[in-house]
Amino acid sequence: MSLRTMLGKSLGGAGQAVLGLAILAALLAGLGATSSSSAGRQDPYQDKVADYGVCRGTDPACYNDWDLPRTTDGRVRVLVFTATGVSRHAHLGPLLPAGMNPPLTSAHVAQNAVVRWGQEYGFEVDWTEDVRQLDSPAKLAPYDAVVFLSNSRTMLDDAAQTTLLQYVRSGGGFVAVHNTLGAMYHWPWFQGLLGGANFYDHGPHRDGQVLTVDRRDASTKDLPRRWDFRDEWYNLEPFPTGVRFLAEVDTDTIGSGTGFNGHPGHEGEHPVSWCQYYDGGRAWVTSLGHDPAAWTEDSALPGADSFKTHVVGGILSAAGERPFCR
C-alpha cells in the first residue's frame, strides 16, 4: 500500500482533498522554479543572491521622496568624485590636488567631459578627489546627484562612507561609471548600491556592439537599438540582481568573454548598464567608459555620441530632473 493510500485512509475524504491540494501546490512550485531557472542566465557558478538589508529594486516605493532644499532650489547640482585607490584609468588624468574644483588639465578628459556636458544640458558640476569633501552629510546634501567616476579599490574612509550612506538614504542620486564597479569591495552596502555587482575581470580592450534593451528610460530613449563602441567589457561577479537592465553588449560581436583572471564571461546576456532604487535613493550604473576617446570632445570613436547621451541621461534621471528607471 502506498504512503498516499495509507494517509488517505487515515485522513478521510476531507484529508485527501487537503493532501491533493498540497501535492498539486508542490508540483506547481517545482514547475515554477524550473521555469524561472531556465528563463534566467546559465552560468557555471551558482552564487546565492545577497540580501543587503535595505529596500532595493525597481519599485519606486523604495525611494525616500523627502521635501529637501535641493529639490526646490531650481538648480541641478552634480558632484563628480574621482578619487582612486590603487589603479587609475587614463581618462582620469593625473591625481588632482586637494580641495573642491582644483584646476583641470587637458589630460583630465573624463572630468572635463562631465563639466562640458553640464554646460550643454543645464546642470552645474563640481569635482574633487579629496575625501575630506565627503566628511559630513551636510557637504553632499546640496547635490542632486553624485557621480563616482572610475574610482578603484578603497578610496572612502569611515566618515565618507557615513556621508554617502546618509546622502542616499535622504533620496540622493548616485551614478557609478566604469571602474567604480571595482571599488570598496569590502563594504557590502556599496556593492548593493552598485546593483549587487562587482568588477571581476575583463578581456582585451576591443570593439563591440551595445544593444539598447530598454528604450523607455531617460538614458536610453534617444539611443539606437544597436550601436558600435569600444571598451573592456567588464565581467561581473556577483552578477547584478534586482535591477532594470538598460543596455548589454552583444556577446557575438566581442569574441571570447574569458577574462584575465579566468572569468568565463556572460555569453548571451552581458549587461553594461542598469538602474535601481536603493535604500531610499536612486542608483544608475554603467561599466562603459574605459576609452579616453569616449570622453573627448568631437571624438571620432564610433558610439561616442551615444555614450554621452546615455551617461547624461543617467545623471539627469538620478538627479530627479528626468523620469528615473522607467
Side-chain angles (χ1 to χ4, degrees), residues 83-87 150-156 179-186 190 199 261:
T84 49
V86 180
S87 61
S150 283
N151 317 101
S152 62
R153 298 304 177 102
T154 302
M155 74 293 175
L156 298 177
N179 202 46
T180 301
L181 282 155
M184 303 300 294
Y185 283 96
H186 66 286
F190 191 81
F199 163 74
N261 277 329

Side-chain angles (χ1 to χ4, degrees), residues 56 176 181 191-198 217 219 234 236 238-247 270-276 283-287 310 324-325:
R56 63 179 291 248
L181 282 155
Q191 182 185 81
L193 182 63
L194 296 173
N198 276 134
D217 190 71
S219 68
Y234 280 3
L236 306 166
F239 194 84
T241 57
V243 302
R244 174 165 287 118
F245 292 129
L246 302 173
H270 191 145
V272 295
S273 302
W274 53 90
C275 59
Q276 66 165 341
W284 187 94
V285 180
T286 184
S287 65
H310 191 39
F324 180 73
C325 212

Side-chain angles (χ1 to χ4, degrees), residues 211-217 220-221 244-247 326:
L211 302 175
T212 306
V213 296
D214 185 333
R215 302 191 72 197
R216 297 173 299 169
D217 190 71
T220 56
K221 66 183 183 64
R244 174 165 287 118
F245 292 129
L246 302 173
R326 294 290 179 85

Side-chain angles (χ1 to χ4, degrees), residues 2 9 12-13 44 55 76 78 94 97 100 105 122 127 142 145 160 184-185 255 258 266 273 283 292 296 308 322:
S2 71
K9 287 180 176 295
C55 186
V76 179
V78 172
M100 186 68 74
T105 71
W127 61 91
M184 303 300 294
Y185 283 96
T258 303
H266 304 293
S273 302
T296 304
K308 168 187 171 182
R322 293 182 181 177

Side-chain angles (χ1 to χ4, degrees), residues 8-29:
K9 287 180 176 295
S10 63
L11 292 173
Q16 290 184 48
V18 172
L19 179 62
L21 289 173
I23 293 172
L24 178 60
L27 289 171
L28 290 174

Side-chain angles (χ1 to χ4, degrees), residues 54-65 277-282:
V54 304
C55 186
R56 63 179 291 248
T58 59
D59 187 346
C62 291
Y63 181 67
N64 287 333
D65 190 11
Y277 294 96
Y278 186 82
D279 201 11
R282 307 180 186 100

